[in-house]
Amino acid sequence: MPDEQRPQRRGGVRPSAVVSAVGRIADECSTHLGRPLEVLDLGGGTGGVAVPLAEAGHHVTVVDPSPDALASLARRAREAGIEGRVTAVQGDGDSLGSVLAGRHVDLACCHGTLEFVDDPAATLHAIAEALGEGGVLSLLVSGRLSVVFAKAIAGEFGQARAALVDPSGRWGSTDPLPRRFDVEQLESLLADAGFTDVRVRGTNILGHLVPASLIDSEADRVALAELDELLVSGPGREFLRTLGSALHVVARRD
């Protein structure tokens, strides 16, 4: 998940809760359409989302600028016996028109990528154009408020303030992430790109605040994930969605 501790281009291992959520979205869309889906995974890297979707029977086109990541994806697809349902293309948001060549997709995933693109608004517009009418977007981005709380709890008050007031949500010049997002920012960007029915859910609300030394086992990780789920699912707790270290957005194209 994207956070201030990871200097990689994208957010590393994607949280299983998000992958599961995307799987449920795909199942619902596929049932409605009566066929497997055409899926775009922009910045999908080594296939953390693409491989499970292809294993479920959907065809996934992964567009990513890293040839090494795409090579790893190809190996995973071969090993899983799904190479016929995964297409790997080197590129970025600017190349979606040529990659899809006029085709539209039913589901687009953009996870841990919008933080790094040159122009988030342009990328969302490109994704909207790639989606067919009624198509669904799954977007995962780093949340601003999570790093503010994490820095404050760590006693790094100057960095916490910087992350709060900086337009890009960065805590300083050495922050490895180019930008983080607020819920209001996301809703505005998505509305401008033509998306409706925007739902935002925070993920890993407590996980990035609890010291790793206190998480000793898989049972601890499961208990923490269940507590996160309870926090965001209870009535009157909608504000907690803003505190996740990542914000998972599901939206529909008009």
Side-chain angles (χ1 to χ4, degrees):
M1 179 177 302
D3 61 36
E4 74 279 10
Q5 301 300 323
R6 299 175 189 253
Q8 300 102 317
R9 182 194 159 275
R10 64 180 54 75
V13 177
R14 294 171 173 83
S16 58
V18 173
V19 176
S20 298
V22 173
R24 291 192 296 271
I25 293 165
D27 288 344
E28 292 170 4
C29 292
S30 181
T31 299
H32 174 71
L33 294 172
R35 58 171 173 78
L37 302 183
E38 289 292 326
V39 182
L40 167 69
D41 191 0
L42 178 60
T46 60
V49 172
V51 169
L53 287 175
E55 288 176 331
H58 309 294
H59 180 266
V60 188
T61 299
V62 178
V63 179
D64 194 282
S66 169
D68 292 338
L70 293 177
S72 296
L73 167 63
R75 286 194 297 271
R76 288 184 65 182
R78 284 196 302 272
E79 291 167 0
I82 54 169
E83 60 267 40
R85 293 196 292 274
V86 176
T87 301
V89 182
Q90 188 173 357
D92 54 26
D94 293 337
S95 59
L96 292 184
S98 59
V99 168
L100 296 175
R103 292 186 296 115
H104 287 108
V105 299
D106 308 299
L107 171 65
C109 299
C110 181
H111 293 181
T113 297
L114 205 64
E115 298 91 333
F116 299 92
V117 300
D118 292 334
D119 187 340
T123 297
L124 289 175
H125 276 276
I127 293 173
E129 291 178 4
L131 280 165
E133 184 177 348
V136 176
L137 166 67
S138 171
L139 177 68
L140 187 70
V141 298
S142 297
R144 176 200 297 267
L145 290 185
S146 65
V147 74
V148 174
F149 274 71
K151 290 295 185 181
I153 289 171
E156 296 170 339
F157 306 121
Q159 291 183 349
R161 184 184 188 281
L164 184 61
V165 301
D166 180 76
S168 297
R170 305 184 75 230
W171 48 256
S173 60
T174 57
D175 189 336
L177 279 186
R179 66 178 68 86
R180 296 178 180 83
F181 294 88
D182 298 314
V183 171
E184 293 76 12
Q185 260 181 304
L186 291 171
E187 290 174 339
S188 177
L189 285 167
L190 289 163
D192 288 345
F195 288 95
T196 60
D197 190 23
V198 177
R199 291 164 285 162
V200 184
R201 189 179 184 88
T203 68
N204 197 33
I205 294 170
L206 295 176
H208 70 290
L209 299 175
V210 177
S213 59
L214 300 180
I215 306 174
D216 296 325
S217 65
E218 181 62 24
D220 289 338
R221 285 186 282 274
V222 170
L224 197 56
E226 290 176 347
L227 185 55
D228 263 356
E229 179 65 23
L230 286 171
L231 279 173
V232 298
S233 60
R237 299 174 185 163
E238 292 82 2
F239 73 97
L240 288 172
R241 66 181 181 166
T242 66
L243 302 182
S245 61
L247 302 175
H248 184 212
V249 183
V250 178
R252 190 172 300 276
R253 180 188 180 277
D254 278 343

